[in-house]
Amino acid sequence: MTTAETPTLAQRSVDLVITNGLLVSPDTTTAADIAVDQGRIVAIGAPGTLPPARETIDATGLHVIPGAIDVHVHFREPGFSHKETWTSATQAAAVGGVTTVFDMPNTNPPTANVAALEQKHALAGTQAIVDYGLYGLIGEHNLDQLEAMAEAGAASFKLYMGSENPLVPCPPDGAIVEAFEILARLGLRCTVHAENTPLLAWRGDKLRAAGRTEAAAHLEQHIDLAAVEAVSRTAIFAEWTGAKVHIAHESTRHSLPHIRFAKARGVDLTVETCPHYLFLTTDDGARLGDNFMRVKPPVREPGHAGPLWDALLDGTIDMLSTDHAPHLRSEKTRDVIWDCAPGFPGVETAMVLMLAQVSRGRLTLGQYVRMACEAPAKAFGLFPTKGVLAVGADADIVLLDMTRTGHITADGLHSIGNATPFEGFALHGLPVRTLVRGRTVAVEGRPVGTPGWGRPVAVTRT
Ligand SMILES: [Zn+2]
């Protein structure tokens, strides 16, 4: 068939049309239909104007948004499959309206070389029902591996600037600067766990030596200063090397002036925060158990969540991620705080928590789309293939029913480690269907995708 004979879109049928929905972008809400063919959005038009389709989804009364992109998840395989597998985790993501995830490298073995990256690609590639990027680890002894990992498909890199985990020790500053120089050349963003390791180690040793075993000791160890200093140092190192950096899980209001200062200087620095810092304070220990609350960096005392919300809405904090870190309940409820596993599952609950706030008027759906879809896509080289409803983009689409209500329960989550701190939270607005590249992967709270449908993302390096 010659080009002249190729049927126009209006003449041929497409795979799928989503009709009568309200399409939400950061700036507009529009009544429009979406045509999808071969996994991509091929047309957006006024209701009733798109070509015939083999499948039609009626979105009357529903809002239509891009799938959320969560650039900070721990899906636990290889090494910790009693907590989570790529199957359970991507089912949780799909039900939660998340269509792309970036998985962290603190698995066992750590994702610190090409062989480990390929091992994880094999695990994800046969199980995932959503798309994924894999982080490579920056360590003291693998700097000569970074370029090879990038060539093998590492979507980004993770620096544990604050770490007591022997699997992923914090490299010395010399190695960090050299790693930033390499990543600046490779054009990939580096996500940083920004805490000061010597400060954590010194305070941790003293607290343990003093026999402290209660939850407050964890907070005293992870003093705000540890985060503030590391955020500032990350920004300065990025400024001097030209690296693009991303601050993981911002937890304290005291970092915000330093983030604003770095951005004002032109440092290519993006920032995320997570629902547990927006919705919880140390006071929730009374409800959940003080030791259960353990997460790094810690959920802090009242007074931080408000400024973090403000910063997220004004763009000082660019995006929402989850730091999805599932554990068994038994691992989070031990008597000695140092033995309690840090972190919470989050990939399935972030969107519904935020939709409840949309329903309360705390933010708009457009603001949510910016922080959960567009901003992560732009920061990590996925835009405009992902993070936006536009012709040419992947058909990663979530249908929302903003009239639905419900409650979060651990038993209702799809993660193996389902010990959520949001048990009982009231919901108003739920995702009712999730599509990844045009295929439905979750509907009405049930995962339905074919294992292995998820694909590694292609990152544009800049
Ligand atoms: Zn994490």
Side-chain angles (χ1 to χ4, degrees), residues 72-74 76 104-106 158 160 191 193 248-249 272 274 295-297 321-325 342-343:
H72 191 154
V73 301
H74 299 265
R76 301 304 191 199
M104 286 295 172
N106 60 333
K158 176 70 179 288
Y160 285 88
T191 294
H193 178 125
H249 42 51
E272 66 183 33
C274 312
V295 59
K296 299 176 181 178
S321 71
T322 67
D323 195 6
H324 176 84

Side-chain angles (χ1 to χ4, degrees), residues 368-399:
Y368 173 73
V369 168
R370 180 182 57 72
M371 68 179 68
C373 314
E374 183 185 89
K378 286 184 171 175
F380 285 86
L382 304 179
F383 193 86
T385 302
K386 293 184 181 295
V388 61
L389 299 177
V391 172
D394 284 351
D396 298 344
I397 298 170
V398 178
L399 308 185

Side-chain angles (χ1 to χ4, degrees), residues 282-296:
T282 46
D283 290 350
D284 288 279
R287 174 175 61 89
L288 295 163
D290 289 327
N291 284 6
F292 181 97
M293 295 286 291
R294 191 176 193 217
V295 59
K296 299 176 181 178

